[in-house]
Amino acid sequence: MVQSPDGIRETVEKIRRNPEGQTGAQWYEGGYKKYETHKAPGTWATAKIVARGIGTGTVTGVDVRTGDKAWTFKLKGHICATTQHVTNDGETAVVAQSEPAHTEDGAPALDGCDEVIFFDIDTGERIWTAKLPRAQSATVFNTNVTMTRGTVAVAWGDGSAAYTMDHGRRLWASTGASACRDIGFAGGPALLALVNCEEDGDPTYKVQKVDPHTGKPKWTYRVSRGIESVYVPSSDPPVLAVAAGDDKVTDLITLDGQGRHRATIPMQDSYDPMCSRQEYGVIERCDALVVGREQLFVASKDSIEVDQGSNWIISFDLATGKTVRKFEGRAASPIYPLRMSGDKLLAYRESGIDVGLSAVISIDPRTAEQTPYLLFGLDTQTGPEVQDPSMADIIVEDGRVFLAPKEIEGDAMDKDNLALVVLGMEPAK
């Protein structure tokens, strides 16, 4: 099957006979003061390059074989929003400040996020740059960018706009005062808009499937009143994660292809999909939730029971909301879902006290069979900042695994204060 170059990548990983892994490309950045931290939004990988965005205004690509820097481009200001999506041609997008901004006391300002940049991960080439219309109110807290086939879409609370991937031509825009506003998009196979409406002083939400070329809604699902936060972790099949009362997700809601309610799955106090939108406007990412064609997979909270697994992954049927299977973790070795690889689930298992190796495993949802994808050892000092998906990006691409902390910090134990930016694992020779 021929894949469209501007379609969103859905890589199917090959399982090797020998899952033994070894340390591959590593990227440490020097020059940081002790305990100095910087946000590092965005991690993208291809067969050639692993790239990272640093919040202070750079995007850098590193050769996955050598760990040498292949390219760097500087932005005019801070990174404001990133997307996890990558095209089949290896391209992605970020939103940044068009000019460096500071508050009166000299601290970096968090507004002015009005520039979208579409770039090639392999080469670092900026394919195009576009200025968002009337985006003075766009900040790192309300700006969101995503992609679907041929289209880059951005929302910033008071407006939204979409651009063609090939030339950055603006397809449509919605700006100005309105009772209902696009506050974010979920991309991938389709484009869903999360819309916030003010009714009688209370916020209410609706989710719409949007035509990427016109911005016109194809269907609308109205979220129940009283919901405080909504996340959209999957556009096709449509899945919502909603929080009633605060930012803690209380339910997952599955919809059919016409936006009609299929099932509600209570999270209770047992499951934690790790959804968060504190910065960088991410509404479509829940770090411990993966949605497949027929089932979704969510991690449980940590267990304190003796002689039991640290946690587990539960699968739920999208049509009925009923539990399908339980995939056990190990003692002191939590397990988290990462992404789908065809009809298999890729999951990450931390190294534990009694298990010296970390692992990415492939799980068959139909049989519960677990097959090692890559087994690798980590330094004993490697902590949750690179193994916990709420604190790190864990990317599996083209046979390699990349662990990338979302905040990089100078190492107080190192005389050069080196900060780990990316740790790569690859198949043993």
Side-chain angles (χ1 to χ4, degrees), residues 48-85:
K48 299 178 181 178
I49 296 291
V50 57
R52 297 225 61 195
I54 306 298
T56 47
T58 61
V59 183
T60 299
V62 171
D63 190 304
V64 299
R65 297 163 300 175
T66 65
D68 296 331
K69 290 184 181 180
W71 53 261
T72 296
F73 65 75
K74 287 191 67 64
L75 304 168
K76 297 174 183 176
H78 282 234
I79 294 175
C80 302
T82 66
T83 174
Q84 65 204 42
H85 296 302

Side-chain angles (χ1 to χ4, degrees), residues 168-345:
R169 177 176 59 87
R170 195 166 81 198
L171 292 166
W172 47 267
S174 173
T175 60
S178 174
C180 294
R181 300 167 295 152
D182 295 333
I183 61 172
F185 293 106
L191 185 64
L192 299 188
L194 176 60
V195 183
N196 184 319
C197 298
E198 294 288 341
E199 296 182 5
D200 300 325
D202 296 323
T204 61
Y205 296 96
K206 56 185 178 181
V207 174
Q208 296 179 321
K209 184 174 182 179
V210 175
D211 185 321
H213 301 291
T214 66
K216 302 297 183 183
K218 296 183 176 182
W219 53 251
T220 298
Y221 174 82
R222 298 184 183 278
V223 180
S224 300
R225 294 179 70 93
I227 295 298
E228 294 293 330
S229 299
V230 180
Y231 307 89
V232 188
S234 176
S235 65
D236 183 18
V239 175
L240 317 181
V242 302
D246 54 27
D247 285 337
K248 178 184 176 183
V249 170
T250 51
D251 298 279
L252 304 179
I253 298 172
T254 67
L255 310 178
D256 67 12
Q258 301 303 314
R260 295 175 297 224
H261 179 272
R262 298 176 80 186
T264 296
I265 304 170
M267 292 291 93
Q268 303 168 343
D269 291 326
S270 301
Y271 310 108
D272 184 6
M274 295 185 185
C275 305
S276 176
R277 194 167 69 241
Q278 293 182 357
E279 294 175 283
Y280 304 109
V282 178
I283 71 155
E284 60 181 329
R285 179 167 174 171
C286 295
D287 292 316
L289 170 66
V290 170
V291 179
R293 298 308 308 171
E294 299 177 352
Q295 300 176 29
L296 63 81
F297 308 85
V298 62
S300 75
K301 293 184 177 180
D302 291 344
S303 171
I304 59 175
E305 296 295 327
V306 179
D307 298 328
Q308 290 192 11
S310 290
N311 74 335
W312 54 89
I313 295 172
I314 290 286
S315 62
F316 293 92
D317 185 278
L318 292 178
T320 66
K322 294 182 178 179
T323 301
V324 180
R325 288 187 181 275
K326 181 179 182 180
F327 309 101
E328 293 278 4
R330 298 180 179 180
S333 183
I335 186 172
Y336 306 101
L338 293 179
R339 69 170 175 86
M340 298 304 294
S341 175
D343 59 356
K344 304 296 191 298
L345 172 70

